[in-house]
Amino acid sequence: MHCACRRNSTVGFLAFAAVTSCVSEPAFVVLTVSDPDAIATHANNLAVGESLAELTANSLGSLEFPTSITVTAPRVGDKRLWVEARNTITGQVLGRGETLAHFQRNGTPTATVLLAAPCDSDADCQDAVYCDGGWRCQAQQCVRTDAPCASNFDCVQSTCLEEAKSCYITVDHSRCATGSYCDPSVGCVTGPACTPENLGSECQDGSVCNGVEQCLNYHCVAGTPPTVNDADACTLDGCDDNRVALGEAAVFHIALASFDGRACTQPENGEPGVCVAAKQGCVPSECGDGVVFADAGELCDDGPANHDAWQPTPHCNSTCSGLSPYCGDGQVDAAFESCDDGDARDTANGCSGNCTRNDQCGDSQVQNLFEACDDGDLNECNGCLATCQPGCICGAPAACSTGLWCSDGHCLACNSEARCGPSCTACSGATPTCANETQGCVCVNDATMR
C-alpha cells in the first residue's frame, strides 16, 4: 500500500480533516465539463456521482464552461460517472452528462463530459429549432440525432433553411469524374450533365406524352406525363406523339359510336346522361338524338328520321315509343298501300316490296295472296277462270251441282233463256234444270227443261 503523510488540504472538491495522518494515496481523475448548447448558463453548482450515489457537490456561485474538476476515489479503475449542473436557488437540474472515467494514482488521468438537457422522455427533448436535428432521451439526458440536411456525398451541398424547415440541395458536378454528373440521391453517376441556361434542351427526348424533361441542379429529370382522362365515359382518351407532326394536340379525346346509348355522368355538371358520339360525348338524353336510351323508356330513336306518318321503310315515331306505320308492318294503309304481307320483299305472293299488288292474272305465275290458279291464259273453259279462281270445265255438267249448268267454265243456274239458250222458255212450277245441251231447251214437264 502506498502511504503519504500530509496535513489538512483541499484538492478539487474534496476536503480532508485538519489533522496530520498517514493515509493511502487516493486515485483521481480530472473531469472537463463542457456546455455546447449553453443550457447551464444559470447553474451555480456541479454534482458528480456514480450510479445513484452522489460523490461530491460544490457550489461555485457562477460557472463558466468549459470547467475542470478533480474527483477522487479509493481505488484505481474505471467508473461511470454522471455530472449535473444545478441551480440551487430554483432547485433545477439544468444540464446532465455521463462519462466513463479511469481513476489513477499518478499521471494525468482525464475524462470529458458534455452537458445536455435532462429528460424523462423524448418529448422533453424537443425544441423549436428545425436545423438542430432531432433529439431523443437517453439515460435521462437529451441526445442529439443527425441534422436533417446532412449529405453523404462530396458532390452534394445541403443547406438547412430554418424558416422554411426544409433543406436546399445543390450539386457540384466538378467533384465527379469526366463523363459523370452528380445525382443528389446517389452521388456521382455515369451520364451527361445539363445546363439550366439551356432550359433543359439537352434533356428532351422528343416525346410530349411522357412529359417535358427539365434540367434541375445540372442534371436531367423526367417530366410529368400530361393528364389524358377527361372524366367523360363516352370518350376514348389518350396521348399520341405522332399527332404533333400533323399539327394536332398529342392528347386526344375521341367520342366513340360504340359507346352510344351507354348511361354516363355529364362531367361538367354531374347530371345523368347518355353517350352520343354525334354530340361528342355525354349529353342529356332526348328523343331525336339518334341513340336509344332504354333507361329513359325509349324503344327506338332514328334521330331526324323520327316521324309519325307512313313511310316505305321502318322508322321510329316522334316520341320514341315505337315504330310508325311502314311498308312491311302487316297492316294495309289504304292511303299508301294496296297490300302488306308483313315484309318488304317481293316473294312472288302478289304483294311487291313496296306494298303494291302485282298479281297479273294470265302470267302463268300463281300469286298466292290473290290467285288460286293461273294457267297462262284467260280461257275459262279449262277449269281456271279469267279471275284466276277455279271453275268448272266448259260443257261438263258433272262439275256443277244439281240444278246448275256449266257454261264457258261457269256453273250457272238454268232458270232463264239467258242461261239455257234462245229457244228455251221457263216452265211453270219449280225452277227448271238444263241437260247437257248448249242451246235450245224444251219443256219435258213442269220440272224439266231441255
Side-chain angles (χ1 to χ4, degrees):
M1 175 182 296
H2 176 74
C3 296
C5 295
R6 59 184 178 181
R7 292 180 57 82
N8 177 39
S9 61
T10 299
V11 180
F13 290 114
L14 299 184
F16 297 89
V19 295
T20 301
S21 62
C22 182
V23 297
S24 298
E25 187 74 22
F28 69 96
V29 67
V30 178
L31 296 181
T32 299
V33 183
S34 297
D35 183 15
D37 295 314
I39 60 174
T41 302
H42 301 291
N44 62 5
N45 177 276
L46 282 179
V48 181
E50 178 186 10
S51 185
L52 300 179
E54 184 172 307
L55 300 178
T56 184
N58 191 30
S59 295
L60 304 178
S62 63
L63 296 175
E64 292 183 4
F65 295 97
T67 188
S68 296
I69 61 173
T70 300
V71 180
T72 60
R75 299 181 183 85
V76 172
D78 292 337
K79 291 181 180 294
R80 180 163 289 280
L81 303 179
W82 55 259
V83 177
E84 287 185 352
R86 301 171 177 172
N87 186 313
T88 57
I89 298 174
T90 62
Q92 291 179 293
V93 175
L94 301 179
R96 183 181 176 86
E98 288 191 3
T99 188
L100 181 64
H102 181 68
F103 285 81
Q104 299 178 183
R105 286 197 173 93
N106 49 48
T108 56
T110 61
T112 300
V113 178
L114 298 179
L115 293 179
C119 62
D120 293 317
S121 67
D122 289 347
D124 296 334
C125 300
Q126 305 308 314
D127 62 14
V129 182
Y130 173 80
C131 292
D132 279 352
W135 293 83
R136 68 178 184 275
C137 186
Q138 180 177 323
Q140 294 186 303
Q141 67 182 38
C142 294
V143 179
R144 189 193 306 274
T145 61
D146 292 337
C149 298
S151 172
N152 296 324
F153 310 107
D154 289 340
C155 66
V156 178
Q157 291 82 48
S158 180
T159 303
C160 186
L161 303 178
E162 182 62 40
E163 184 175 349
K165 297 191 182 307
S166 64
C167 302
Y168 177 71
I169 297 176
T170 59
V171 297
D172 184 356
H173 296 296
S174 66
R175 292 180 175 268
C176 297
T178 302
S180 298
Y181 69 92
C182 184
D183 185 321
S185 61
V186 296
C188 293
V189 294
T190 302
C194 60
T195 305
E197 290 78 5
N198 293 338
L199 302 177
S201 59
E202 308 102 313
C203 305
Q204 302 307 314
D205 62 2
S207 172
V208 175
C209 294
N210 67 2
V212 178
E213 292 75 22
Q214 301 179 62
C215 183
L216 297 178
N217 261 345
Y218 297 92
H219 70 282
C220 296
V221 296
T224 301
T227 300
V228 300
N229 187 359
D230 63 355
D232 192 334
C234 305
T235 60
L236 176 67
D237 307 319
C239 185
D240 183 358
D241 287 316
N242 295 323
R243 293 168 57 92
V244 177
L246 302 176
E248 301 174 344
V251 176
F252 59 83
H253 311 288
I254 302 175
L256 297 183
S258 59
F259 293 160
D260 282 357
R262 174 192 293 181
C264 58
T265 299
Q266 299 176 60
E268 62 273 11
N269 56 25
E271 295 294 326
V274 61
C275 293
V276 182
K279 295 189 177 181
Q280 300 303 308
C282 187
V283 296
S285 172
E286 60 181 14
C287 180
D289 58 18
V291 174
V292 179
F293 190 37
D295 289 355
E298 293 183 352
L299 298 180
C300 59
D301 195 330
D302 293 325
N306 290 351
H307 202 280
D308 291 328
W310 181 91
Q311 295 288 340
T313 57
H315 62 288
C316 192
N317 61 30
S318 59
T319 61
C320 294
S321 59
L323 298 179
S324 291
Y326 64 94
C327 177
D329 62 4
Q331 303 294 323
V332 177
D333 190 318
F336 305 98
E337 303 172 336
S338 57
C339 63
D340 195 321
D341 59 355
D343 61 48
R345 301 187 306 276
D346 191 346
T347 56
N349 62 1
C351 190
S352 68
N354 59 4
C355 292
T356 58
R357 290 183 61 168
N358 61 359
D359 55 321
Q360 183 63 42
C361 187
D363 60 3
S364 299
Q365 183 175 351
V366 178
Q367 308 290 341
N368 55 35
L369 281 180
F370 307 105
E371 299 176 344
C373 61
D374 193 323
D375 57 2
D377 60 48
L378 301 179
N379 184 356
E380 295 188 337
C381 288
N382 55 9
C384 187
L385 306 182
T387 58
C388 286
Q389 300 299 319
C392 62
I393 297 176
C394 186
C400 299
S401 302
T402 302
L404 299 179
W405 169 251
C406 182
S407 175
D408 293 332
H410 296 277
C411 292
L412 306 175
C414 290
N415 59 358
S416 66
E417 179 180 336
R419 295 289 184 265
C420 296
S423 60
C424 181
T425 58
C427 301
S428 61
T431 301
T433 300
C434 293
N436 188 16
E437 297 180 9
T438 58
Q439 62 180 7
C441 292
V442 295
C443 291
V444 177
N445 52 45
D446 286 344
T448 303
M449 179 183 295
R450 288 191 182 277

